[in-house]
Amino acid sequence: MTATKEAAPISDAKAAERRLGWLLCAPAAIVMLAVAGWPILLSIITSFQRSDLRFPDDKGFVGFANYATVLTSEHWWTAFGVTMLIMVVSVAVELVLGMGLAVVMHRTLVAKGLLRTTVLIPYGIVTVVAAYGWQYAWTPDTGWLAGLLPEGSAPLTERWPALLIIIGAEIWKTTPFMALLLLAGLSVVPDELHRAASMDGAGRWQRFVKVTLPLMKPAILVALLFRMLDAFRIYDNIYVLTNGAQDTASVSITTYHNLVSGLNLGIGSTMSVLIFVTVAIIAFIFVKGLGTSTPEGGR
Amino acid sequence: MTKTPHIGTKGRTLCCAALAIAGVVPLLSGCSSGDDGGVTINLYNAPQQNLQQIVDRCNKEADGAYDIKLHTLPRGADGQREQMVRRLAAEDSGMDVLGLDVTWTAELASAKWIRPWPKDKAAEATEGVLEGPLQTAMYEDELYAAPYNSNVQLLWYRSDLVPEAPTTWSELIDVAEKLKSEDKPHYFEVTGAQYEGLVVWFNSMVESAGGKLLNEDGDKVELGPEAVKALETMRDFAKSAAANPSLPNTQEDPARLAVESGASFGEANWPFVYPAMQGSGAKFAKDFKWAPYPGIDGPGKSPLGGANFAVSSYSEHPDEAFDATLCLRDPQSQLTAAVKDGLPPTIESVYDSTDTVEVTDPEGKTSQVGMADAYPMRDAIKDAIKNAAVRPVTPVYQNVSTVTSKILSPPGSIDPETTEQRLREQIADALESKGVLP
């Protein structure tokens, strides 16, 4: 796309064409605003209200009171910490594993299609279904994995083992997605550069670190951004595995508990706004700070 | 009361057609029209195998005045509540009669989602109803629901291992230690997972110790030394030989399975475990006995469960809905529910009824079954209901419950004094719908 602005006056035909363009995309824009913009606006408005469905008569604006309540709540910060932990650990492990898988898939000469399909299977399974699989696997008596542990241990009933299982389930499920994104990045690295590097005496590892990784930076950043935003919103695995028991709730689980179980729209909306803001901050850091959106590397 | 705007017949047909295409019609019974002149009353209830039979009888008795249509909610209590509150919040007129868990009445009444009962019909709905179940249907001295079935936990044990049932939790621990030293199954199952079941246990413990969670009006925390005593007992139990390692994750059904599989010698649980045990094929099924719920210094107060029927505020046919409800919970219906589905009645006289219900066994043979055959433990249940611990009646029960189960979980980590203090503070916040739910 060219960024230069045309200073010359626009001809009538061109202006008409531009108007037509606006008209054609208007319905889509309006629908987008209605389905995405309005709910966001509504939750922002609700976050400034005391709005508890059980007390319909006590509704009213309370300023930042809900924010004060949420931001001083130990439950919220515990959930926030858990979410961050899950996000950082799972995405870090996925990056390493995904890169490994991508390299393997890239280098394989035989049965490429079959390999890629196989790797993708965990990603294809509905998260909730997979989560139930893990839940049964880790439950004493019914589970094959729990059977490997010492007699009488119930990992899902303890905080750290449960968190590890949740992170493990996340990694198992989304590593293939990471691998696919990285594979796309890997395939744009020209072979000539590798050959040139090896002529200069660079070993396998040096070529990977000095040639492949820098060229793949945009792809890696995009993959990281996608997965981090995704991981931050983690819901289904936790919902099935512990439903937030033993301090394993993520911010999404906590928000759901307040909104739907607690019927407290004010507090729940405040939480969703906070999640929205956090997600926006993460995206902002990636896009502005690391230049994720510009594959060419220029800003 | 909020009026829902009427969509014209044409609009409704169009709307239904569109929804049918989207494949969501089964969820939206507002589309079912009673176009033969009669009024359709949509009943939403938790899954209950033979409820349709009760509905059929009521429809026959109504003789065209109304036609009840049964819709089944999800199996889990949270799923049921969720579907109903979502639709009530959206002022959905497609629900008329709602089957509510006993703890939801106050909440839905406070939200103005269910109607108070008119005087004359209230009299009929409460006649001969046991005190505990009746309390669960009241909010601010008004009747908001008709008690349909009750439920109460008892102590279930294997008499081949434990000849005499213990009456207190400390006796239970002694029994477990003795069994452990003899290398026999020594676990006793309680619902210790972080969910409502844990609150149910705690509430019974506090009431057994002579205390209460909340005051009479349900707007102030009570707790106090009795609660500390209850917490001590729970912690001691959770750390004793009687506690299964899975205790912090045990809900009703895993508790039942642990006993059926022979891993545990007993459980505190609802009466559904009795027919399940008889059908399980366990060789000790014949030795499976019941006793009153254990207490702290003496006999305990059982947790009280059950369900009530309420009429939605958004129902377009409240009169018919109230009438239909009266039939759905009348003695005949309660007898059917008790005999065929194992749900304990709320009307006292039904326990002693000599009437029978026709039951068809899996082989197709029919027989006449009465309370005495279906409920060998009916007197124990009736006595337990009369002495049961009713959970606090407050619109914010859900918050109180969530916060409580969070703080008490896992039971082994309870530190009586501090835990009581934390409960006191956070329940107080929850009562003002101020705090954050974990």
Side-chain angles (χ1 to χ4, degrees), chain B residues 270-343:
Chain B
W270 310 100
F272 79 99
V273 300
Y274 183 77
M277 174 63 85
Q278 301 312 317
S280 72
K283 34 177 210 304
F284 43 81
K286 60 176 190 332
D287 299 314
F288 194 57
K289 297 271 161 59
W290 60 88
Y293 195 81
I296 290 183
D297 297 316
K301 298 186 90 176
S302 309
L304 185 76
N308 302 326
F309 284 129
V311 174
S312 161
S313 295
Y314 306 110
S315 167
E316 285 166 0
H317 312 287
D319 285 339
E320 289 85 352
F322 280 120
D323 289 341
T325 308
L326 284 175
C327 175
L328 290 168
R329 44 68 48 206
D330 72 6
Q332 179 64 43
S333 297
Q334 293 204 10
L335 182 68
T336 309
V339 170
K340 303 197 84 168
D341 290 320
L343 301 171

Side-chain angles (χ1 to χ4, degrees), chain B residues 133-155:
Chain B
L134 184 57
Q135 268 184 48
T136 67
M138 311 279 292
Y139 176 64
E140 293 187 336
D141 295 327
E142 253 193 292
L143 186 77
Y144 274 88
Y148 168 53
N149 67 63
S150 188
N151 219 343
V152 80
Q153 287 193 2
L154 296 176
L155 186 162

Side-chain angles (χ1 to χ4, degrees), chain A residues 87-99:
Chain A
M87 181 180 89
V88 170
V89 176
S90 69
V91 174
V93 177
E94 280 166 24
L95 181 66
V96 175
L97 288 181
M99 185 62 91

Side-chain angles (χ1 to χ4, degrees), chain A residues 112-168:
Chain A
K112 234 178 195 176
L114 183 72
L115 180 71
R116 287 183 192 184
T117 317
T118 319
V119 165
L120 263 183
I121 287 177
Y123 195 62
I125 296 177
V126 179
T127 316
V128 173
V129 176
Y132 271 108
W134 289 115
Q135 196 217 36
Y136 284 119
W138 288 111
T139 301
D141 298 337
T142 59
W144 57 284
L145 283 170
L148 304 176
L149 298 170
E151 178 73 23
S153 42
L156 284 174
T157 65
E158 290 162 61
R159 187 172 189 216
W160 290 107
L163 281 175
L164 277 180
I165 291 174
I166 290 166
I167 292 174

